[in-house]
Amino acid sequence: MNTRRQFGAIMAGAALLPLARPAIAQPARLPDGPMRLVVPFPPGGPNDLVARVLAQKLGPILERNLVVENRSGAGGVVGTDNVAKSAPDGRSLALTSAGAIAISPALGAPMPFDAAKDLAPITLVALMPELLAVTPSLPVRTLAELIGYAKRNPGKLNFASSGNGSMPHLAGESLRAAAGIDIVHVPYRGAAPAVTDLMAGQVQMMFADMPAMMSQVQSGALRPVALASKERSPLLPETPTLAEAGQPSVEAENWYGLVAPARTPEPIRNLLHEAAARALKDPELVKAYGEQGARPVGNSPAEFRDFIVAETQRWGAIGRRANVTMD
C-alpha cells in the first residue's frame, strides 16, 4: 500500500511539471527583401550570361527576387570586393571567377580583400573551356602545324589576350613553355577588341572563353585549333583537346563560382548551397550553359574551397615562371 501511495504521489507531482519537449532546430531563413547577385564584369560577357541563367532558377527556389547587378573593374576584383564587404546576411552574392580570387592574388596584385578570409565559398557553378583559335590567313589547321610554324618563324607570331595576367594570357604562356616556341604576347583591355584584331590578322592566335569566339568560328572568321579542356565540346566536336593534340600539360578552363561574405552564418550558407546545387541540375539551365560551352558543377563548399586553393597554386606557378605581372 505504501509503495502504491508513493508511486501515486510521484505521478501526481509529475503531472504538475511542464512537459519537456525535445529542441527542434529551426530551418534557416533568409531575411526578407530582395537579393542581389553581383557580376564583377560588364553585361553581355560569359560571366554575365552564366549569372543571369543561374539567377532565373535560383530566385524561385529561394523565394526571393534575385537581381543581377554588374560591378566591373580590375578583372573582377571590384565587384567581388563589394560583396566581400557587404552585410553577411545571405542577401549579397557574387558570381566571381578565377581571375579575381585565384590568379590576381597569386600574381601579387594589390587586393582589397583576402579571398580565404573575407569570402565564403558556396559552390563552383560552371567550367568554361578556353578555345585556341587562329586568324584564317595563318596557314595552319592543327596544333602541330601551329607549333611547327612558330618554330620556323621565332618571334613572328603574336598571341592576343584579354589583359596581362588574364587566363587567356596564362594559357598562352603555358603553351609557349610546353611547346618551346617563341611567340609575342599582345594584351588588350577585354576579349572583344582582341577578337576583332584577331579576325583582321593584326594578331595571329588567341585563347579565350568559348562564347567570346564561337560566333566568329561558326561564321568562318576564325579557325579553331584546340580546346584547353579535359574533354571535347559538343559545340565543336571535331576540335581536339590540347592533350589529344600532343600538349597534355596545357589545360585552361575558366570558372565561375558563387561566394558570399565570410561571416554569413553557416545555416544560411548551407541553404544557399542546397538551392544553388538544385538550380544547377535544372534541365533548362544545363541546356543553356551547354549552348555557351559551359559545364555546370555544383560541388560542396569544402570542395570549392579546395579547388580555389589548387587553382591559386597552379596559375601562380605558371605566371611566376613566365614573369607575368598584373596591369
Side-chain angles (χ1 to χ4, degrees):
M1 290 294 294
N2 289 339
T3 302
R4 285 200 297 271
R5 281 197 297 269
Q6 290 172 350
F7 179 75
I10 292 171
M11 293 303 294
L16 299 176
L17 296 174
L19 294 177
R21 297 180 180 178
I24 299 175
Q26 295 298 313
R29 189 177 185 278
L30 290 167
D32 292 333
M35 295 178 61
R36 63 192 189 113
L37 178 58
V38 173
V39 177
F41 292 94
N47 186 294
D48 185 62
L49 296 173
V50 168
R52 291 182 185 278
V53 173
L54 177 63
Q56 289 174 0
K57 300 300 179 182
L58 187 57
I61 293 173
L62 293 171
E63 299 181 342
R64 290 290 185 278
N65 180 26
L66 184 54
V67 178
V68 176
E69 182 180 309
N70 294 88
R71 285 179 173 262
S72 60
V77 170
V78 170
T80 306
D81 180 55
N82 176 266
V83 168
K85 292 178 170 58
S86 296
D89 58 7
R91 294 197 301 158
S92 291
L93 304 172
L95 188 72
T96 191
S97 65
I101 61 175
I103 295 175
S104 290
L107 297 183
M111 298 294 293
F113 63 89
D114 184 325
K117 296 179 180 178
D118 299 328
L119 294 170
I122 303 299
T123 191
L124 178 60
V125 170
L127 294 169
M128 181 76 74
E130 295 294 295
L131 172 63
L132 173 61
V134 299
T135 183
S137 61
L138 197 67
V140 303
R141 293 189 173 275
T142 68
L143 184 64
E145 291 175 352
L146 176 61
I147 292 173
Y149 185 93
K151 288 186 174 180
R152 293 191 302 273
N153 298 274
K156 299 290 182 63
L157 288 185
N158 297 321
F159 77 95
S161 81
S162 52
N164 282 323
S166 64
M167 185 170 290
H169 178 196
L170 295 181
E173 296 293 353
S174 184
L175 177 61
R176 183 215 301 263
I181 53 179
D182 180 9
I183 53 179
V184 180
H185 175 229
V186 181
Y188 287 78
R189 291 193 175 276
V195 170
T196 298
D197 274 8
L198 181 62
M199 289 189 293
Q202 299 299 318
V203 289
Q204 290 74 48
M205 56 187 287
M206 179 181 178
F207 281 95
D209 288 9
M210 286 188 69
M213 296 195 289
M214 275 305 300
S215 61
Q216 293 84 357
V217 166
Q218 291 167 341
S219 70
L222 293 176
R223 181 179 299 143
V225 173
L227 277 170
S229 54
K230 290 183 173 66
E231 56 190 50
R232 295 193 185 197
S233 170
L235 298 181
L236 294 170
E238 302 302 317
T239 301
T241 66
L242 281 160
E244 291 174 324
Q247 295 296 332
S249 67
V250 183
E251 185 178 308
E253 286 189 292
N254 203 353
W255 48 266
Y256 310 117
L258 197 63
V259 296
R263 298 188 309 281
T264 304
E266 185 176 1
I268 296 295
R269 298 201 306 267
N270 292 338
L271 172 67
L272 293 170
H273 170 259
E274 291 169 6
R278 179 177 161 191
L280 290 169
K281 293 177 181 177
D282 185 284
E284 292 181 353
L285 178 146
V286 174
K287 181 175 183 292
Y289 279 13
E291 290 172 349
Q292 298 296 322
R295 303 195 309 278
V297 182
N299 59 3
S300 72
E303 289 169 334
F304 184 27
R305 186 181 296 279
D306 291 344
F307 178 82
I308 293 170
V309 171
E311 286 286 279
T312 302
Q313 294 172 346
R314 183 167 77 93
W315 290 114
I318 290 171
R320 288 189 294 273
R321 186 169 58 239
N323 294 317
V324 172
T325 57
M326 302 295 292
D327 286 331

